[in-house]
Amino acid sequence: MKKIFLLSAFLFTVFSGFTQKQNGTVFIEHPLLEKVNTLWEAFEKGDKDAYAALLADKMVGIFNGNTDNRQTRENNINSVDWFNEEFENLEVVVDTPAYADAIVYGEGEQWVQDWLIIKGTHKKTGINLNLKEHHLYRFNDEGKITAIHYYFNNDVFQEIRNSQTTKENGKVYINHPYIVTVRKLVNAYCAEDLDAMLEFYDPKVRFSDATMKWRDFVDLEAEKKIWSDRFAKYDNFEMRQVGYPDCIYYAQNDGYVVYSWWIHKSRSVDTGKVVEFPIMLSHSFDKDGKIVQSMAYYSSNHIEE
């Protein structure tokens, strides 16, 4: 009992040492929140005067915490023109379920924080903007914004810049060892030779096709069962090449993909009905020349019973 009492006394002493001290108040409704709403309404409409009226004379913009490269008030106001000239259907919405807060600290500093999504379509490139941004606004005693801190992923703007240039991203081969690999794989499939087919795949290969949901895939064991079931139901497999395959080296991803087009033909074992349909295949290769991703594009209407 004495040990328990001493332990309890010790814990009470430790936890009582953690004190709380309030340093301000957080508001879900506040006049500053209305000012921020007005700011973004003016931004949407391209109303620079209404936008500028909310900014202090020495306002600055700070992006992703980089305080060494501050945006001036003039440039911040001019960004209203840039967005409205570059984008159509410009819209700013709340990134729900988040909501804005107004914070008044004990020493009188006034801040607002919010989470928004800026939407629109870039006129020149057709890129759709769906930009999630977090903002911190600092207000002075007159209720003017002295600083806006912007936090967002800049990739979409890099994509917009890149889309307005012409840049190569690799090479296209009309003849390549990986094209030969795909041809041999197709021949093994038509021969219903599972062992030969497996030689071309990496053990961790992923399979998907047009009948599956986006980003869904199956592994090699599951695909082997699909092949076995298909070989049990159909025979006389033929794959007639359409046009010619392309082997593309993608510099950005440093990888090879073979695209090929075929007419798939087989016969039902039960009914003798011949099934024929077009199919496009995409095979991605690793550094060892093994297939690591296989995708098939076709309509399942041809094989549904």
Side-chain angles (χ1 to χ4, degrees), residues 1-190:
M1 288 296 295
K2 182 177 181 181
K3 290 182 179 179
I4 295 175
F5 173 80
L6 291 174
L7 177 61
S8 300
F10 172 76
L11 292 175
F12 175 80
T13 302
V14 169
F15 285 109
S16 63
F18 292 101
T19 60
Q20 297 184 25
K21 181 179 180 181
Q22 187 172 337
N23 188 34
T25 306
V26 179
F27 297 89
I28 195 171
E29 294 182 3
H30 195 278
L32 296 183
L33 296 174
E34 294 302 319
K35 290 188 176 184
V36 169
N37 290 338
T38 301
L39 181 81
W40 287 107
E41 288 171 2
F43 175 88
E44 277 186 344
K45 298 174 183 176
D47 189 343
K48 286 173 62 176
D49 292 336
Y51 185 93
L54 295 162
L55 305 182
D57 291 340
K58 295 184 179 181
M59 174 267 175
V60 295
I62 300 172
F63 295 87
N64 293 322
N66 184 5
T67 58
D68 295 330
N69 187 20
R70 301 189 178 200
Q71 184 188 52
T72 65
R73 180 180 189 272
E74 180 181 2
N75 287 340
N76 189 272
I77 295 170
N78 288 337
S79 69
V80 177
D81 276 344
W82 184 84
F83 271 94
N84 279 271
E85 290 169 1
E86 293 287 323
F87 293 89
E88 57 188 359
N89 303 321
L90 194 63
E91 183 183 14
V92 182
V93 298
V94 177
D95 188 8
T96 54
Y99 54 85
D101 297 313
I103 305 171
V104 179
Y105 289 99
E107 296 179 356
E109 284 195 8
Q110 302 178 96
W111 291 77
V112 167
Q113 63 175 351
D114 64 15
W115 292 263
L116 303 177
I117 303 176
I118 301 178
K119 299 182 178 183
T121 300
H122 192 246
K123 297 175 184 178
K124 297 175 184 176
T125 65
I127 292 174
N128 291 317
L129 186 67
N130 190 50
L131 184 65
K132 293 176 178 284
E133 290 196 6
H134 171 50
H135 306 114
L136 296 170
Y137 314 81
R138 184 176 182 177
F139 288 81
N140 61 19
D141 293 338
E142 287 74 42
K144 299 281 188 176
I145 298 172
T146 61
I148 304 178
H149 296 254
Y150 300 85
Y151 295 90
F152 59 91
N153 187 322
N154 194 52
D155 287 352
V156 66
F157 296 111
Q158 184 64 49
E159 184 181 2
I160 288 172
R161 285 190 290 271
N162 292 341
S163 294
Q164 298 178 75
T165 63
T166 300
K167 181 182 179 182
E168 293 183 354
N169 184 32
K171 297 180 179 180
V172 180
Y173 297 89
I174 193 170
N175 293 300
H176 193 279
Y178 293 163
I179 292 177
V180 173
T181 295
V182 170
R183 189 178 296 120
K184 289 181 177 179
L185 171 64
V186 168
N187 289 340
Y189 171 83
C190 291

